[in-house]
Amino acid sequence: MTYIVNDNCIACKYTDCVEVCPVDCFYEGENMLVIHPDECIDCGVCEPECPADAIRPDTEPDMEKWVEFNRKYSEMWPVIVTKKDPLPGAEEMDGKQGKMELFSEAAGEGG
């Protein structure tokens, strides 16, 4: 099992999760985070830290696409281990539908 970040993170990018991760498996894009599925040790400490409920176990139905999505971008983006401010408007974007059209493949700063 591994944990993944889904589209609920897009345009919010809360980083509360990165501070509690014991193996530094979060990677930062311009407007979301992902988890490297091969680095995640399945501890689950990140899941309750996400205000947007964007972190889910891969054992839930239809998660395979998110495992591959997280794998792809974790191999392209820099690691993030330090909590940062969420994106402007994160509270308003939390829970919105159709956020994939806002997704950016651009890397974040990491750090």
Side-chain angles (χ1 to χ4, degrees):
M1 187 178 93
T2 187
Y3 284 83
I4 57 86
V5 180
N6 63 29
D7 55 341
N8 289 343
C9 185
I10 298 170
C12 292
K13 199 167 84 170
Y14 292 103
T15 57
D16 306 67
C17 53
V18 304
E19 282 195 319
V20 298
C21 180
V23 293
D24 302 338
C25 65
F26 281 89
Y27 292 81
E28 183 183 15
E30 180 178 39
N31 68 353
M32 80 173 291
L33 304 176
V34 293
I35 295 171
H36 195 300
D38 297 334
E39 295 173 1
C40 177
I41 60 169
D42 315 326
C43 67
V45 297
C46 59
E47 186 179 16
E49 297 299 318
C50 181
D53 194 30
I55 301 173
R56 311 298 314 157
D58 73 343
T59 54
E60 290 184 358
D62 302 318
M63 287 293 149
E64 186 56 36
K65 70 178 182 180
W66 289 109
V67 172
E68 292 313 311
F69 181 93
N70 278 247
R71 182 183 316 282
K72 176 181 178 179
Y73 291 102
S74 65
E75 292 174 357
M76 297 170 53
W77 294 345
V79 69
I80 178 172
V81 296
T82 306
K83 183 176 176 177
K84 299 178 181 181
D85 290 334
L87 293 176
E91 287 184 19
E92 294 80 30
M93 292 303 295
D94 187 0
K96 295 249 183 201
Q97 297 296 309
K99 289 170 58 168
M100 273 309 293
E101 59 191 47
L102 303 174
F103 173 68
S104 170
E105 290 190 345
E109 296 176 4

